Amino acid sequence: MSQMNGASSLVASLEAAGVDVMFGIPGGAILPAYDPIFSSSIRHILVRHEQGAGHAATGYAQVTGRVGVCIATSGPGATNLVTPLADAAMDSVPVVAITGQVPSVAIGTDAFQEADIRGITMPFAKHNYLITDPADIPRAIAEAFHIASTGRPGPVLVDIAKDALQKMTEFAYPTSVSLKGYKPKLAPDAQSITDAADLITQSSKPVFYVGGGVIKADASRELMELAQLLGAPVVTTLMARGAFPDSHPLNLGMPGMHGTVAAVTALQKADLLITLGARFDDRVTGKLSTFAVNAKVIHADVDPAEIGKNRFADVAVLGDLKHSIAALIPALKFALAKNRPDLTAWLRQVNSLKATYPLGYAMPTDGSLAPQYVIERLGKISGPETIFAAGVGQHQMWASQFVSYENPRTWLNSGGLGTMGYAVPAAMGAKVGAPDTTVWAIDGDGCFQMTNQELTTCALNNIPIKVAIINNESLGMVRQWQTLFYEGRYSNTSLESKRIPNFPMLAEAMGCVGLSCERPEDVDATIEKAMNINDQPVVVDFRVARDAMVWPLVAAGASNDDIMIARETAPDWDSQEL
Amino acid sequence: MAQHTLEVIVENSPGVLARVAGLFSRRAYNIERLSVGPTDNPETSKMDIVVNLEGHALEQVIAQLDKLINVIAIKEIVPNSAQPIVHDTQPDYQN
């Protein structure tokens, strides 16, 4: 034990928790902590907006599998963290946020820069703390890291009153954490594994419905073994892209609102969903009452509250997915030895759909750029080790569809909350976590204008990310819905111009290299030029056709049976044997 | 619908009532009655929560309540039954 003030105790605790980097901005209430940060081994990256700090922590966590850390002052500093923390909650990302709070005697008095950030984050944070006694700091930090990173990961906020940072205290970091009300379950019950294996052997149309939990649990290798053992088709949700290689013949692609015909239809026609770390989100199921009506459900997840939340589970496998899948492999081998179902007809059906309805797009006839083509070339040229981070909207869906993901933790996006502006700061955090890997942000022009200020942070801190702006001078996804569902009345979705702002000049102003491209024949050379700049961030303004749409589409609230492959065009079901 | 009483042991720390009340509010569950009192252990409190829910919805309330870090144990008190159903938060209902 040693005597120090609360601020030093905080920084010593963060060091003891293994933090190597944090993203933040100082201010009055957190100021005492910034003094020991100045001499700490922890790298502090000074961002330009606290939202950037939060998403950067998320990007760092998604790429490394470690806890991402952000830090801000009280009041507006803390409230600016609300969006990224809500985002991290929806996508189960381990993040710890440290905020300064006004001095404890001022709490509740509407003091300058006071906001009840514990109360504000209570609805979505996995847990949070308000610390007014410096003696509580090490325990709170240890618990916060434990809670954020175990079980179903999530954001934890530690709010610390300024006087708690200033007062003297004894520092002793706890050697272990024990919480009466929190004991995540690692190993699944043996019976649930046997039941799951038995149910699988009774199925003739099984599908692996794979969610982001597989990536969180680092269970991709186990999934590969399980999928190959059974030889059943696999669908990877938006959060699970990369959990199973896109190039694998069993992979049908992404299910859901903009999923492939094969993935969506395989779920609809399945007699068994082997659900691994997925949560039957409305964007996947469409109208729930018509989702996979003939399927039984095995639901493996670490979060008991997900079992049966949206869809009844015939077999619940509760536990960490790495353990659960690892346990299922020998159990299934044993069960298959006695009774191996014949999946030949089922595989023929789904492969026929996959061959008949591949993802595709039309090249514009006027010589303008197809956004899908740009994204496809980005994926091809930069290769399967590259990390991609997307914003939210059309470009996000195309980035999920037209880049081939071969490895886990190479695809970052805001799946649950749908946070526009996620891409640039998340890419920044990803690059800090994986400095030797190429990181591309694929962003929309609408999204980019929400958080591009972090490019200054990147330029000044040697974080050379690459940004592809898919510039269609529109809030494209909303515009697409207006085209389809509001008779083309484009209320407030036009951003008016591909030239204002001048994105390459804006990039240059922030210390980045700015490039632009508007002809298909220039795409490859422009991407290669960007790939060869590694000492500075690069921004490429791809000026693309405005009217491109994301297909396939299951309209919001519609049944997955009503998937459209183009405007007013359904798949030709009569030609399919289903 | 039958009324069910949940006996919830929580950590006796500031903000716990807000966490429980907020959970019911944001998940759109109705609380029929709620009382909070001390237990023999000064570190814990007991909440009796009466809800008008059955089956699946009741299971969801319990599972979601159990996710709150400050919730230690949940018992369901079934009317006309001496033996309460114990939803042991450790380890099955834990996250």
Side-chain angles (χ1 to χ4, degrees), chain A residues 128 152 180 303 305 308 318, chain B residues 19 56 60 67 90 92 95:
Chain A
N128 54 18
R152 179 180 184 169
K180 277 188 202 147
D303 181 356
L318 202 50
Chain B
R19 289 181 200 278
H56 167 75
Q60 261 296 301
K67 283 178 73 170
Q90 297 156 2
D92 306 74
N95 189 47

Side-chain angles (χ1 to χ4, degrees), chain A residues 118 122-123 126-128 147 151-152 179-185 189 302-309 318, chain B residues 14-15 18-19 26-27 41 43-44 56 60 63-64 66-72 90-95:
Chain A
R118 187 185 55 158
M122 214 176 258
K126 188 170 173 187
H127 195 50
N128 54 18
I147 292 168
R152 179 180 184 169
L179 294 158
K180 277 188 202 147
Y182 178 77
K183 305 245 189 286
K185 193 169 185 231
D189 293 337
V302 72
D303 181 356
E306 284 303 335
I307 309 290
K309 185 183 78 177
L318 202 50
Chain B
R19 289 181 200 278
R26 72 174 174 273
R27 299 256 177 207
N41 181 351
E43 290 178 4
T44 63
H56 167 75
Q60 261 296 301
Q64 295 290 353
D66 219 352
K67 283 178 73 170
L68 297 177
I69 308 289
N70 299 129
V71 168
I72 298 168
Q90 297 156 2
D92 306 74
Y93 269 97
Q94 229 358 279
N95 189 47

Side-chain angles (χ1 to χ4, degrees), chain A residues 15 56 59 63 92 107 125 156 197 214 236 258 269 309 343 348 355 369 405 424 433 447 458:
Chain A
E15 287 169 350
V63 160
S92 308
I107 290 176
V156 180
V214 169
T236 49
H258 294 296
K269 302 297 178 190
K309 185 183 78 177
L343 305 183
R348 193 172 60 236
L369 257 183
Y405 296 98
V424 168
C447 283
C458 289

Side-chain angles (χ1 to χ4, degrees), chain A residues 129-342:
Chain A
Y129 294 85
L130 170 60
I131 303 296
T132 53
D133 178 348
D136 292 338
I137 290 173
R139 182 189 50 80
I141 296 297
E143 289 180 6
F145 278 80
H146 175 67
I147 292 168
S149 60
T150 53
R152 179 180 184 169
V156 180
L157 177 129
V158 184
D159 193 28
I160 311 176
K162 187 174 186 179
D163 53 323
L165 294 170
Q166 290 167 318
K167 280 185 206 153
M168 294 304 283
T169 180
E170 296 276 349
F171 170 74
Y173 195 71
T175 49
S176 66
V177 172
S178 173
L179 294 158
K180 277 188 202 147
Y182 178 77
K183 305 245 189 286
K185 193 169 185 231
L186 277 180
D189 293 337
Q191 187 63 49
S192 70
I193 295 294
T194 313
D195 291 348
D198 286 347
L199 201 53
I200 291 172
T201 60
Q202 292 159 27
S203 158
S204 58
K205 295 178 167 185
V207 180
F208 288 102
Y209 163 26
V210 174
V214 169
I215 295 176
K216 300 297 185 314
D218 285 320
S220 289
R221 200 172 298 160
E222 289 79 4
L223 170 63
M224 175 60 80
E225 196 180 338
L226 182 67
Q228 289 189 321
L229 173 63
L230 183 60
V234 176
V235 303
T236 49
T237 68
L238 182 64
M239 291 310 295
R241 309 285 292 123
F244 191 78
D246 273 341
S247 59
H248 196 286
L250 288 173
N251 196 336
L252 303 180
M254 178 173 75
M257 180 175 267
H258 294 296
T260 65
V261 172
V264 171
T265 309
L267 289 179
Q268 286 303 88
K269 302 297 178 190
D271 67 0
L272 177 66
L273 306 183
I274 307 166
T275 312
L276 306 172
R279 59 183 179 91
F280 296 90
D281 178 74
D282 57 273
R283 255 42 185 175
V284 167
T285 64
K287 190 178 176 187
L288 195 56
S289 61
T290 65
F291 175 68
V293 287
N294 297 317
K296 293 202 166 177
V297 171
I298 295 169
H299 196 169
D301 207 286
V302 72
D303 181 356
E306 284 303 335
I307 309 290
K309 185 183 78 177
N310 292 337
R311 173 70 182 249
F312 176 75
D314 298 273
V315 175
V317 180
L318 202 50
D320 180 271
L321 273 175
K322 200 174 176 71
H323 290 76
S324 296
I325 301 176
L328 191 51
I329 290 166
L332 185 61
K333 268 185 196 156
F334 182 75
L336 288 175
K338 287 188 292 185
N339 175 22
R340 188 165 191 111
D342 182 5

Side-chain angles (χ1 to χ4, degrees), chain B residues 7-19:
Chain B
E7 188 183 291
V8 183
I9 304 297
V10 300
E11 282 179 47
N12 183 15
S13 63
V16 175
L17 180 59
R19 289 181 200 278

